[in-house]
Every structure is written in C-alpha cells, then in structure tokens.
C-alpha cells in the first residue's frame, strides 16, 4: 500500500512527463532486504507542519511519515490505514472509525513515544483550526460546528469530532457527503500527538520536527543537498514496504541532462527525460523500452479571455485597437473562432515533445470520464448538449488524448460570422490580442509562440494578431501562476 506514496516523493506525477525506469537499478540495505530508491527533489521544505501548510514539498514527506484513517490502493480504491473499520450512519452525517490496536508514535531515531489514539485526530483538527491551516477549507463547511468555532461563536467541544474512547473517533457532518472518506486521506486530516505539539518541536524542518507512525522516518535533511528516508521497521504494515531507503538529491533544474547522466551511472533509480532536448534521440535509442509516461494529473491548464480589461500597463495596442479588441472578445462567434483555431497539441509539444503531445490533451476542464449517467460519460453528455447550440459543434470529440476542438475550417467559418457583425460595430482589423508571457521560462515562451502561430495561421494575420507581451514574473507571480494554472488573453 505504501509504494504509491514513494511516487509522490519522487515527483513523478507530472502531466505525461517521460521517465526512465530502471530494471533492478538499486542497492540492498543492511536494515532491510528491500531496495534503495534514489532520485531528486527540487525544493527544500520550509516546515514539516502538515496540518498548517498545504504544500507539496511538505505533504510529499509527511504522507510517507504519518498515516491517516484511510488511504488509496494502487487502483484508486479507499482502503483501511489507521482505521481498521468504519461505518456511516443511516442519514450519512456521522462517520465512526475504529483504530488499529497497538499503533505507536516514534521519534526519528526509532524511540517509541506513545500510542496513536483517537484523541490525536481531535488534537489535529483543533490545531489546524487554531493555526488557520491553508487546507482548512476542505473540511471547514463539512464538520458540524467547525466554521462556528473558527468564527469564535462556539467552543471546540461543540465541533463535530469526538474521541469516543482511545480507539474510536467520530465525525459529525453538517450534511451528508458521499465523498467524505476521501477527505480523510488529506494532510489536514492526519493525526498529531498533543504532548509533542506542546513541546514546541512539531513542524520544524528537520527530522525531529515530526513524530512518525507511517512507513518511513526522515533520517537526514541537509538544505539544498539531500533528504533521506528510512523504512520504519516498527510500522504496523511494514511487510508491505518493499523499499527500505529513499535518497533524494537536490536538483535546481538548471541541468536537465544531469538527470539522464545520473540514471546512466546508477545514481538515480529513475529520471525524467526531455523530448525536446538535443540528446533525446540518443536516449530513446538506448533506453526506448524503459521510457514510460506518467499518468495525466488532476490539473488542467487552460486559457481564458479578459472580457473587461481595464489595465493596459503591458500592451502594444493604441486606444482604437484596445476598443476593437474589447468589442471582438464580447462577440461569441469571435471567441469560438479562437477556440477552433488553437492547435493545442502543437502547443503541448513545446513542453513534453511530439511523442507525448497527445497524451496530455484535455478538451474540457475535467476529464471526459469525470462522471457518467445513463451509460454515457460526461464528455459524451456534453457533446450532445453542445450540438443543441449550433451546427459548428457537430463532430467535436471531447475525450481526452486527442485534439478535439482544433478545426481550421470551423475557425474560419466562425470568424466570418463574427467579422460581419464586428465591422458593423466599427471594429478595425486585424484585432490585436495581448498575451502575457513569462520571459524567464523558455517553455512558456515557446508555447506562447506556438499559440500565436496556430491562431494567426487559422484566421489569417490580417484578421487577428496575438501580441506576446514579455513579462518578468516575480517569485510571488510565478507561484500564483502555478496555483491557478491560468493564462489570460485580451
């Protein structure tokens, strides 16, 4: 069950990124008969406080060190972790979990600290609320009374979480949530020992900043150098942990070729390969059968229009062009023309290469298989609905993995309708659209240029011009872009 978590540490869940996988590329450990897994990490954790902070560099470590009530197996099914059994009330508002007997907390050096009890989950939720956890929104409106406690209206004993005894924890919800159990797998729902928190060490960015009840302990951390994890031999599910040691080396991203070289020399158990690099053909020839693509992630990157732009700090448009752009973007046919004229597959190829460019394609914000009804998936149901809005939506395939919206003929037809109406409104052509681009990212620049080329080729540069506005993003700006996954065009 714990092997799933190692992948998260290694950072191999990037959207359809290509990786080399070793065959037996590891060393045995004297502490266990398992293997050593070696790769890289890209950011030092500023804290190990998994309850307060919702950041990948923290949760990747914490979820290997601390178990929660439930977890996912390799098929995505919820299975027991610390909770060996659970039940929901008939009205779907009360969930009761029975903890495994004999599960212990340990310090990083293997010393037994105490029992894992139901009260540890109560302590954790109160700690998250008192410290304004970044992930509190996940449960704030779910657990009865929690929002009132956060707003200072009630004491915590009125919140819908109770330790019925040492091994039984119960949650009462505001309303039934069929997906509630999935929330128990998130970091904000992990337990914490009250005595350890009171001691003041909890969350320090060092091995002694955690108590451990999970598959691994953090045995060493050196900033911008390395992080090491060691199998917790006293772990309740230790027989299922086949990797005994994890060794991660700091990687700043400046030398992608070093990943491949590290793999060749046996220093890394896996390595990301970059299909657009000059060495990719040689790597593919040597390791072709060992190259695999990561599964598409849950994030969807998409572009959107700024329909009411008021700030023109970054633009090459004059006042007339600004007004024309605004009128054009308010025209539905014009927006459809852009959507049909954008070659998303070529855009993606600038990042993941031609070989993987179809694997990461998504034509909606959610996967086409997100939900189903009446024997049809979400994509098929949406396709049926779209057709009712106009013939231009006929034969549009919204399933993942193909360029379902790109159609130059449809783009031209939609633009012809839009141009006739816009000319009557006094719009001048070509319509200039500004697109901000992070000039410090070669991939972002290449992708923006690809978008510009495909749209202008589809609609004609005499009709639409995408003006790339090169912007240097501050660190805060880069973080915001990553969080929201958005790119604006106006």
């Amino acid at each position: 069950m714990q092997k799933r978590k190692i992948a998260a540490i290694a950072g191999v869940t990037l959207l359809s990124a290509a990786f080399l996988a070793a065959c037996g590329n590891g060393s045995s450990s004297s502490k266990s008969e398992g293997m050593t897994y070696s790769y890289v990490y890209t950011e030092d954790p500023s804290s190990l406080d998994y309850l307060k902070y919702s950041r990948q560099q923290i949760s990747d470590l914490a979820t290997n060190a601390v178990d929660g009530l439930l977890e996912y197996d390799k098929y995505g099914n919820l299975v027991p972790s610390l909770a060996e059994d659970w039940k929901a009330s008939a009205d779907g508002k009360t969930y009761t979990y029975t903890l495994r007997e004999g599960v212990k907390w340990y310090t990083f050096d293997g010393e037994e600290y105490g029992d894992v009890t139901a009260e540890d989950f109560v302590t954790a939720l109160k700690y998250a609320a008192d410290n304004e956890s970044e992930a509190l929104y996940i449960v704030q409106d779910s657990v009865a009374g929690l929002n009132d406690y956060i707003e200072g209206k009630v004491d915590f004993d009125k919140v819908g979480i109770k330790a019925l005894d040492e091994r039984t924890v119960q949650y009462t919800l505001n309303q039934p949530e069929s997906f509630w159990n999935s929330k128990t797998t998130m970091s904000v729902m992990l337990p914490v020992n009250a005595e350890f928190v009171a001691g003041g060490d909890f969350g320090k960015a060092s091995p002694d900043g955690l108590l451990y009840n999970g598959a691994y302990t953090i045995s060493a951390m050196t900033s911008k150098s390395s992080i090491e994890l060691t199998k917790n031999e006293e772990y309740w599910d230790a027989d299922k942990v086949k990797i005994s040691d994890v060794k991660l080396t700091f990687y700043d991203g400046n030398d992608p070729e070093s990943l491949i070289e590290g793999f060749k020399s046996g220093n890394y158990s896996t390595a990301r390969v970059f299909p657009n690099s000059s060495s990719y053909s040689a790597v593919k020839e040597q390791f072709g059968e060992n190259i695999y693509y990561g599964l598409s992630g849950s994030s969807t990157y998409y572009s959107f229009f700024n329909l009411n732009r008021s700030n023109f700090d970054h633009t090459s448009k004059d006042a007339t062009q600004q007004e024309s752009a605004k009128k054009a973007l308010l025209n539905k046919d014009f927006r459809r023309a852009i959507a049909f004229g954008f070659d998303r597959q070529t855009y993606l190829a600038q990042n993941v290469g031609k070989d993987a460019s179809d694997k990461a394609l998504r034509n909606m914000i959610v996967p086409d298989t997100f939900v189903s009804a009446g024997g049809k998936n979400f994509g098929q149901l949406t396709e049926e609905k779209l057709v009712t809005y106009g013939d231009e939506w006929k034969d549009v395939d919204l399933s993942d993995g193909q360029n379902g919206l790109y159609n130059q003929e449809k783009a031209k037809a939609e633009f012809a309708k839009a141009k006739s109406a816009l000319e009557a409104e006094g719009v001048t052509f070509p319509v200039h659209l500004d697109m901000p681009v992070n000039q410090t990212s070669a991939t972002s620049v290449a992708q923006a240029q690809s978008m510009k080329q495909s749209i202008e080729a589809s609609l004609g540069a005499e009709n639409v011009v995408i003006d790339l506005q090169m912007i240097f993003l501050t660190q805060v700006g880069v973080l915001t872009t990553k969080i929201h996954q958005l790119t604006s065009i106006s």
Side-chain angles (χ1 to χ4, degrees):
M1 286 186 284
Q2 302 308 317
K3 290 186 289 185
R4 172 191 62 81
K5 294 179 179 177
I6 288 299
I9 283 184
V12 298
T13 56
L14 299 174
L15 185 64
S16 288
F19 290 88
L20 283 168
C23 295
N25 189 25
S27 60
S28 62
S29 167
S30 60
K31 299 177 183 178
S32 173
E33 296 180 356
M35 304 292 290
T36 293
Y37 178 89
S38 303
Y39 195 44
V40 300
Y41 74 102
T42 59
E43 188 174 359
D44 281 318
S46 56
S47 168
L48 291 178
D49 190 339
Y50 51 84
L51 295 173
K52 182 175 181 179
Y53 299 108
S54 179
R55 302 172 188 177
Q56 185 173 346
Q57 72 269 31
I58 299 173
S59 62
D60 282 352
L61 293 172
T63 54
N64 282 277
V66 182
D67 273 8
L69 293 169
L70 306 177
E71 65 180 10
Y72 289 102
D73 66 13
K74 63 183 179 180
Y75 302 108
N77 300 312
L78 283 165
V79 296
S81 186
L82 291 186
E84 64 179 4
D85 192 21
W86 66 92
K87 61 183 179 181
S89 61
D91 63 2
K93 294 172 65 174
T94 302
Y95 284 76
T96 306
Y97 302 88
T98 302
L99 303 184
R100 297 180 186 278
E101 188 172 3
V103 178
K104 306 288 186 179
W105 288 111
Y106 295 91
T107 62
F108 79 100
D109 53 4
E111 181 180 349
E112 185 178 317
Y113 191 92
D115 294 329
V116 176
T117 69
E119 192 63 36
D120 295 337
F121 291 89
V122 180
T123 299
L125 186 59
K126 186 177 187 301
Y127 178 93
D130 291 345
N131 289 274
E132 299 179 345
S133 168
E134 293 175 345
L136 198 57
Y137 69 91
I138 294 172
V139 294
Q140 183 169 345
D141 293 322
S142 298
V143 179
L146 182 56
N147 188 61
D148 286 340
Y149 173 73
I150 293 168
E151 294 179 352
K153 297 177 180 178
V154 300
D155 294 333
F156 193 76
D157 61 6
K158 302 298 183 184
V159 176
I161 181 172
K162 297 289 183 292
L164 302 184
D165 56 44
E166 283 201 350
R167 292 181 52 213
T168 311
V169 60
Q170 185 177 85
Y171 293 85
T172 301
L173 310 184
N174 285 314
Q175 61 281 319
E177 292 185 3
S178 59
F179 46 84
W180 166 255
N181 272 336
S182 67
K183 293 186 177 183
T184 69
T185 67
M186 300 179 181
S187 295
V188 71
M189 292 286 287
L190 296 178
V192 71
N193 180 279
E195 182 181 347
F196 186 68
V197 170
D201 286 338
F202 175 60
K204 289 196 313 183
S206 61
D208 61 349
L210 292 179
L211 285 184
Y212 302 84
N213 68 20
Y216 293 91
T217 60
I218 301 173
S219 50
M221 290 179 67
T222 303
S223 178
K224 289 184 170 49
S225 176
S226 63
I227 297 176
E228 297 184 19
L229 292 89
T230 302
K231 178 180 176 180
N232 178 4
E233 298 290 353
E234 304 302 324
Y235 178 50
W236 67 268
D237 204 20
D239 290 345
K240 298 268 180 41
V241 181
K242 305 304 181 183
I243 296 175
S244 58
D245 295 278
V246 178
K247 297 183 179 180
L248 305 176
T249 303
F250 182 74
Y251 168 66
D252 62 8
N254 288 329
D255 184 14
E257 298 299 320
S258 68
L259 300 179
I260 299 170
E261 294 306 315
F263 178 83
K264 289 180 179 178
S265 64
N267 292 329
Y268 298 149
S269 305
T270 187
R272 183 179 178 184
V273 295
F274 296 83
N276 289 327
S277 70
S278 59
S279 65
Y280 179 66
S281 58
V283 172
K284 185 176 180 180
E285 182 177 352
Q286 182 177 0
F287 299 106
E289 292 184 359
N290 291 88
I291 295 176
Y292 71 97
Y293 292 95
L295 295 175
S296 294
S298 58
S299 298
T300 302
Y301 297 77
Y302 62 96
S303 300
F304 69 97
F305 300 108
N306 185 348
L307 299 178
N308 190 28
R309 184 178 179 183
S310 59
N311 187 313
F312 291 90
D313 288 345
H314 301 282
T315 188
S316 53
K317 300 196 293 279
D318 58 32
T320 299
Q321 292 171 333
Q322 292 173 17
E323 184 63 23
S324 290
K326 183 174 183 178
K327 289 179 179 178
L329 289 176
L330 292 176
N331 184 286
K332 181 168 59 178
D333 295 322
F334 181 86
R335 297 195 302 271
R336 286 177 176 173
I338 298 293
F340 286 129
F342 174 27
D343 183 353
R344 293 158 184 79
Q345 185 165 354
T346 302
Y347 174 92
L348 280 172
Q350 310 310 308
N351 182 28
V352 299
K354 184 178 180 181
D355 289 353
S357 61
D358 60 335
K359 294 176 171 50
L361 279 168
R362 178 164 291 159
N363 297 290
M364 299 183 293
I365 294 178
V366 298
D368 62 302
T369 56
F370 185 59
V371 293
S372 61
K376 297 179 180 179
N377 66 35
F378 183 67
Q380 294 167 331
L381 294 170
T382 305
E383 289 166 11
E384 292 178 357
K385 184 66 174 178
L386 279 175
V387 172
T388 67
Y389 292 115
D391 290 343
E392 64 272 17
W393 295 106
K394 286 183 177 179
D395 302 319
V396 168
D397 186 352
L398 296 179
S399 57
D400 282 358
Q402 47 80 48
N403 211 1
L405 292 173
Y406 179 53
N407 187 309
Q408 288 189 321
E409 294 305 313
K410 288 186 177 182
K412 289 179 171 63
E414 291 303 299
F415 183 80
K417 291 190 291 184
K419 188 170 186 178
S420 177
L422 293 173
E423 284 178 332
E425 295 181 41
V427 170
T428 59
F429 293 89
V431 173
H432 285 260
L433 303 177
D434 289 331
M435 180 175 181
V437 184
N438 177 13
Q439 65 182 0
T440 64
S441 169
T443 299
S444 295
V445 173
Q447 288 186 316
Q449 290 172 338
S450 173
M451 177 183 282
K452 171 182 172 68
Q453 291 167 6
S454 67
I455 291 174
E456 291 180 4
S458 295
L459 304 180
E462 71 278 9
N463 293 314
V464 176
V465 173
I466 308 296
D467 294 322
L468 305 182
Q469 303 299 333
M470 299 298 174
I471 298 173
F472 177 80
L473 295 181
T474 63
Q475 187 61 36
V476 173
V478 171
L479 178 61
T480 301
T481 300
K482 290 179 179 178
I483 290 173
H484 292 291
Q485 317 285 4
L486 304 178
T487 303
S488 60
I489 303 178
S490 66

